[in-house]
Amino acid sequence: MTDKDQTKVKRKGTFKSAPLPVPAATGVVLAGEELVKVAVAALEDVKAQDIQVIDVREKQSITDFMIIATGTSNRQIGAMLDKVREAVKAQGVKPLGEEGKGDSDWVLLDMDDVIVHMMTASARQFYDLERLWAGAEQSRSASAAHHSPENTHEHFTKLNKDQE
């Protein structure tokens, strides 16, 4: 063994691996409608229900669009949050903040131009954000047509009658 080989063997400490490659920034920052498309596609990918996009540009200045989606459980809502976060980060968008992580019935992802609300059916029924923004332009994802107000689920109809 040469002296050079012995120094390799005697070296102490931990070796750090090379940093993972970072994709080069494209220089194109998604905003508005493009960001909505990415978020809706991510939500549809994890089977979110009743995805609704509300254009609030004419109503307030905090954000341009709100996306509201329903998850069947807190676990699915967590998966929805993770999927949307990953999808927008892959496009070079860094979310400004998240609220309600963990066992919450309502999770919010703020991406400046777009705010995504992911909630359980009971939380969505209780807070009724669609009615709050009723004057704003709304559109439903094609996969959520069966959740439209005209097709109210039986348990919500019963719940509404019980509350009257």
Side-chain angles (χ1 to χ4, degrees), residues 106-123:
W106 182 359
V107 175
L108 179 141
L109 183 64
D110 184 356
M111 298 176 288
D112 195 27
D113 292 341
V114 178
I115 295 176
V116 183
H117 300 271
M118 296 158 276
M119 43 180 65
T120 60
S122 59

Side-chain angles (χ1 to χ4, degrees), residues 35-53 67-72 76-77 79-85 87-88 116-118 124 139-147:
L35 191 54
V36 167
K37 289 176 186 176
V38 170
V40 167
L43 289 167
E44 288 175 342
D45 194 39
V46 289
K47 309 294 186 222
Q49 300 174 353
D50 196 12
I51 302 167
Q52 186 168 2
V53 178
I67 301 173
I68 304 170
T70 302
T72 57
Q76 184 188 17
I77 291 172
M80 291 162 53
L81 173 65
D82 292 342
K83 187 69 171 184
V84 173
R85 186 185 324 115
V88 299
V116 183
H117 300 271
M118 296 158 276
R124 188 166 179 173
S139 66
R140 289 190 184 270
S141 171
S143 65
H146 65 283
H147 289 285

Side-chain angles (χ1 to χ4, degrees), residues 8-9 19-20 25 29 41 43 55 59 61 70 72-73 80 83 88 90 99 107-108 133 137 157:
K8 287 183 185 176
V9 174
L20 296 173
V29 177
L43 289 167
D55 183 346
K59 297 292 179 186
S61 61
T70 302
T72 57
S73 66
M80 291 162 53
K83 187 69 171 184
V88 299
E99 295 292 330
V107 175
L108 179 141
W133 295 102
E137 184 180 327
T157 305

Side-chain angles (χ1 to χ4, degrees), residues 56-76:
V56 292
R57 290 179 282 198
E58 300 296 321
K59 297 292 179 186
Q60 49 78 39
S61 61
I62 296 171
T63 190
D64 293 341
F65 296 94
M66 288 189 192
I67 301 173
I68 304 170
T70 302
T72 57
S73 66
N74 293 348
R75 176 173 265 181
Q76 184 188 17

